[in-house]
Short mmCIF file of all heavy atoms in Angstrom, two decimals:
data_model
loop_
_atom_site.label_atom_id
_atom_site.label_comp_id
_atom_site.label_asym_id
_atom_site.label_seq_id
_atom_site.Cartn_x
_atom_site.Cartn_y
_atom_site.Cartn_z
N MET A 17 9.05 -105.76 33.87
CA MET A 17 8.82 -105.43 35.28
C MET A 17 8.32 -104.00 35.43
O MET A 17 7.62 -103.68 36.37
CB MET A 17 10.10 -105.63 36.10
CG MET A 17 10.55 -107.07 36.18
SD MET A 17 9.31 -108.14 36.92
CE MET A 17 9.37 -107.57 38.60
N ALA A 18 8.67 -103.12 34.51
CA ALA A 18 8.26 -101.72 34.59
C ALA A 18 6.83 -101.53 34.12
O ALA A 18 6.20 -100.53 34.43
CB ALA A 18 9.19 -100.84 33.77
N MET A 19 6.26 -102.48 33.40
CA MET A 19 4.93 -102.31 32.85
C MET A 19 3.85 -102.08 33.91
O MET A 19 3.04 -101.20 33.75
CB MET A 19 4.56 -103.49 31.96
CG MET A 19 5.30 -103.44 30.65
SD MET A 19 4.86 -104.63 29.38
CE MET A 19 4.16 -106.00 30.21
N PRO A 20 3.79 -102.83 35.02
CA PRO A 20 2.74 -102.55 35.99
C PRO A 20 2.82 -101.14 36.56
O PRO A 20 1.80 -100.51 36.77
CB PRO A 20 2.99 -103.60 37.09
CG PRO A 20 3.69 -104.70 36.39
CD PRO A 20 4.54 -104.03 35.36
N ALA A 21 3.99 -100.61 36.76
CA ALA A 21 4.12 -99.24 37.27
C ALA A 21 3.60 -98.25 36.25
O ALA A 21 2.91 -97.29 36.59
CB ALA A 21 5.58 -98.94 37.62
N ALA A 22 3.90 -98.46 34.97
CA ALA A 22 3.40 -97.57 33.94
C ALA A 22 1.89 -97.67 33.86
O ALA A 22 1.18 -96.67 33.71
CB ALA A 22 4.03 -97.93 32.59
N HIS A 23 1.35 -98.89 34.00
CA HIS A 23 -0.09 -99.10 33.98
C HIS A 23 -0.76 -98.34 35.13
O HIS A 23 -1.77 -97.69 34.95
CB HIS A 23 -0.38 -100.59 34.07
CG HIS A 23 -1.82 -100.92 34.04
ND1 HIS A 23 -2.55 -100.92 32.90
CD2 HIS A 23 -2.69 -101.22 35.04
CE1 HIS A 23 -3.81 -101.22 33.18
NE2 HIS A 23 -3.91 -101.42 34.46
N ALA A 24 -0.16 -98.42 36.32
CA ALA A 24 -0.71 -97.72 37.47
C ALA A 24 -0.69 -96.22 37.26
O ALA A 24 -1.63 -95.52 37.60
CB ALA A 24 0.05 -98.10 38.74
N ALA A 25 0.39 -95.71 36.68
CA ALA A 25 0.48 -94.27 36.42
C ALA A 25 -0.60 -93.85 35.43
O ALA A 25 -1.20 -92.80 35.56
CB ALA A 25 1.86 -93.91 35.91
N ASP A 26 -0.87 -94.70 34.43
CA ASP A 26 -1.93 -94.39 33.49
C ASP A 26 -3.28 -94.32 34.18
O ASP A 26 -4.09 -93.44 33.89
CB ASP A 26 -1.99 -95.44 32.37
CG ASP A 26 -0.80 -95.35 31.43
OD1 ASP A 26 -0.13 -94.30 31.40
OD2 ASP A 26 -0.55 -96.35 30.73
N GLY A 27 -3.54 -95.25 35.10
CA GLY A 27 -4.79 -95.22 35.85
C GLY A 27 -4.93 -93.97 36.68
O GLY A 27 -6.00 -93.36 36.73
N ALA A 28 -3.85 -93.55 37.32
CA ALA A 28 -3.88 -92.33 38.13
C ALA A 28 -4.13 -91.11 37.27
O ALA A 28 -4.89 -90.21 37.65
CB ALA A 28 -2.58 -92.20 38.91
N THR A 29 -3.51 -91.08 36.11
CA THR A 29 -3.71 -89.95 35.19
C THR A 29 -5.14 -89.93 34.67
O THR A 29 -5.79 -88.88 34.65
CB THR A 29 -2.71 -90.06 34.01
OG1 THR A 29 -1.39 -90.02 34.53
CG2 THR A 29 -2.89 -88.93 33.03
N LEU A 30 -5.62 -91.09 34.24
CA LEU A 30 -6.98 -91.17 33.72
C LEU A 30 -8.01 -90.83 34.78
O LEU A 30 -9.05 -90.22 34.49
CB LEU A 30 -7.25 -92.57 33.14
CG LEU A 30 -6.52 -92.89 31.85
CD1 LEU A 30 -6.67 -94.37 31.52
CD2 LEU A 30 -7.04 -92.02 30.71
N PHE A 31 -7.75 -91.21 36.02
CA PHE A 31 -8.62 -90.87 37.16
C PHE A 31 -8.81 -89.36 37.23
O PHE A 31 -9.93 -88.87 37.40
CB PHE A 31 -8.00 -91.45 38.43
CG PHE A 31 -8.25 -90.72 39.71
CD1 PHE A 31 -9.48 -90.78 40.33
CD2 PHE A 31 -7.25 -89.98 40.32
CE1 PHE A 31 -9.71 -90.12 41.53
CE2 PHE A 31 -7.46 -89.32 41.50
CZ PHE A 31 -8.70 -89.39 42.11
N GLN A 32 -7.74 -88.61 37.05
CA GLN A 32 -7.81 -87.15 37.08
C GLN A 32 -8.54 -86.63 35.84
O GLN A 32 -9.44 -85.79 35.95
CB GLN A 32 -6.40 -86.55 37.14
CG GLN A 32 -5.65 -86.85 38.41
CD GLN A 32 -6.22 -86.16 39.64
OE1 GLN A 32 -6.84 -85.13 39.55
NE2 GLN A 32 -5.99 -86.76 40.78
N GLU A 33 -8.16 -87.13 34.68
CA GLU A 33 -8.73 -86.65 33.41
C GLU A 33 -10.21 -86.96 33.28
O GLU A 33 -10.95 -86.19 32.67
CB GLU A 33 -7.96 -87.26 32.24
CG GLU A 33 -6.55 -86.74 32.12
CD GLU A 33 -5.74 -87.46 31.05
OE1 GLU A 33 -6.25 -88.44 30.45
OE2 GLU A 33 -4.59 -87.04 30.84
N ALA A 34 -10.66 -88.08 33.83
CA ALA A 34 -12.07 -88.48 33.71
C ALA A 34 -12.97 -87.74 34.69
O ALA A 34 -14.19 -87.86 34.62
CB ALA A 34 -12.20 -89.99 33.92
N GLY A 35 -12.38 -86.99 35.60
CA GLY A 35 -13.18 -86.23 36.55
C GLY A 35 -13.51 -86.96 37.83
O GLY A 35 -14.26 -86.46 38.66
N CYS A 36 -12.96 -88.15 38.01
CA CYS A 36 -13.23 -88.94 39.22
C CYS A 36 -12.78 -88.20 40.48
O CYS A 36 -13.37 -88.36 41.55
CB CYS A 36 -12.52 -90.28 39.15
SG CYS A 36 -12.87 -91.25 37.68
N ALA A 37 -11.74 -87.38 40.34
CA ALA A 37 -11.17 -86.66 41.49
C ALA A 37 -12.14 -85.62 42.05
O ALA A 37 -11.94 -85.13 43.16
CB ALA A 37 -9.85 -86.01 41.10
N ALA A 38 -13.17 -85.30 41.31
CA ALA A 38 -14.16 -84.35 41.83
C ALA A 38 -14.87 -84.92 43.06
O ALA A 38 -15.26 -84.18 43.96
CB ALA A 38 -15.18 -84.00 40.74
N CYS A 39 -15.01 -86.23 43.11
CA CYS A 39 -15.73 -86.88 44.21
C CYS A 39 -14.90 -87.88 44.99
O CYS A 39 -15.31 -88.30 46.07
CB CYS A 39 -16.97 -87.59 43.66
SG CYS A 39 -18.16 -86.49 42.89
N HIS A 40 -13.77 -88.32 44.44
CA HIS A 40 -12.96 -89.36 45.07
C HIS A 40 -11.52 -88.92 45.25
O HIS A 40 -11.00 -88.16 44.44
CB HIS A 40 -12.95 -90.64 44.22
CG HIS A 40 -14.29 -91.24 44.02
ND1 HIS A 40 -14.88 -92.07 44.93
CD2 HIS A 40 -15.16 -91.15 42.98
CE1 HIS A 40 -16.06 -92.46 44.47
NE2 HIS A 40 -16.25 -91.91 43.30
N GLN A 41 -10.88 -89.46 46.28
CA GLN A 41 -9.45 -89.33 46.47
C GLN A 41 -8.92 -90.71 46.84
O GLN A 41 -9.69 -91.59 47.22
CB GLN A 41 -9.12 -88.32 47.58
CG GLN A 41 -9.43 -86.90 47.18
CD GLN A 41 -8.93 -85.90 48.22
OE1 GLN A 41 -8.45 -86.27 49.28
NE2 GLN A 41 -9.06 -84.64 47.90
N VAL A 42 -7.63 -90.87 46.74
CA VAL A 42 -7.03 -92.17 47.02
C VAL A 42 -7.14 -92.51 48.49
O VAL A 42 -7.55 -93.61 48.86
CB VAL A 42 -5.56 -92.21 46.56
CG1 VAL A 42 -4.87 -93.48 47.04
CG2 VAL A 42 -5.46 -92.09 45.05
N ASP A 43 -6.79 -91.56 49.37
CA ASP A 43 -6.70 -91.88 50.79
C ASP A 43 -7.49 -90.95 51.71
O ASP A 43 -7.23 -90.91 52.91
CB ASP A 43 -5.24 -91.94 51.22
CG ASP A 43 -4.49 -90.64 50.92
OD1 ASP A 43 -5.10 -89.70 50.38
OD2 ASP A 43 -3.30 -90.57 51.23
N LYS A 44 -8.45 -90.22 51.14
CA LYS A 44 -9.33 -89.36 51.95
C LYS A 44 -10.75 -89.46 51.41
O LYS A 44 -10.97 -89.48 50.22
CB LYS A 44 -8.87 -87.90 51.88
CG LYS A 44 -7.54 -87.65 52.51
CD LYS A 44 -7.15 -86.20 52.38
CE LYS A 44 -5.76 -86.01 52.95
NZ LYS A 44 -5.19 -84.72 52.60
N LYS A 45 -11.70 -89.52 52.33
CA LYS A 45 -13.10 -89.55 51.91
C LYS A 45 -13.51 -88.18 51.42
O LYS A 45 -13.18 -87.17 52.03
CB LYS A 45 -14.00 -89.97 53.07
CG LYS A 45 -15.47 -89.99 52.65
CD LYS A 45 -16.25 -90.97 53.44
CE LYS A 45 -17.73 -90.94 53.16
NZ LYS A 45 -18.15 -90.72 51.80
N ARG A 46 -14.17 -88.16 50.32
CA ARG A 46 -14.75 -86.94 49.77
C ARG A 46 -16.24 -87.19 49.66
O ARG A 46 -16.81 -87.74 50.59
CB ARG A 46 -14.12 -86.67 48.40
CG ARG A 46 -13.70 -85.25 48.24
CD ARG A 46 -13.03 -85.04 46.92
NE ARG A 46 -12.43 -83.72 47.00
CZ ARG A 46 -11.65 -83.23 46.12
NH1 ARG A 46 -11.32 -83.93 45.07
NH2 ARG A 46 -11.16 -82.03 46.26
N MET A 47 -16.86 -86.84 48.60
CA MET A 47 -18.27 -87.18 48.41
C MET A 47 -18.44 -88.69 48.26
O MET A 47 -19.39 -89.27 48.76
CB MET A 47 -18.84 -86.46 47.19
CG MET A 47 -19.01 -84.97 47.41
SD MET A 47 -19.49 -84.05 45.93
CE MET A 47 -20.88 -84.94 45.33
#
Side-chain angles (χ1 to χ4, degrees):
M17 294 301 290
M19 286 187 336
H23 181 78
D26 289 341
T29 299
L30 289 170
F31 149 74
Q32 295 291 334
E33 292 173 355
C36 306
C39 298
H40 299 277
Q41 290 187 354
V42 171
D43 57 0
K44 294 179 184 167
K45 179 152 174 38
R46 226 177 192 172
M47 288 173 51

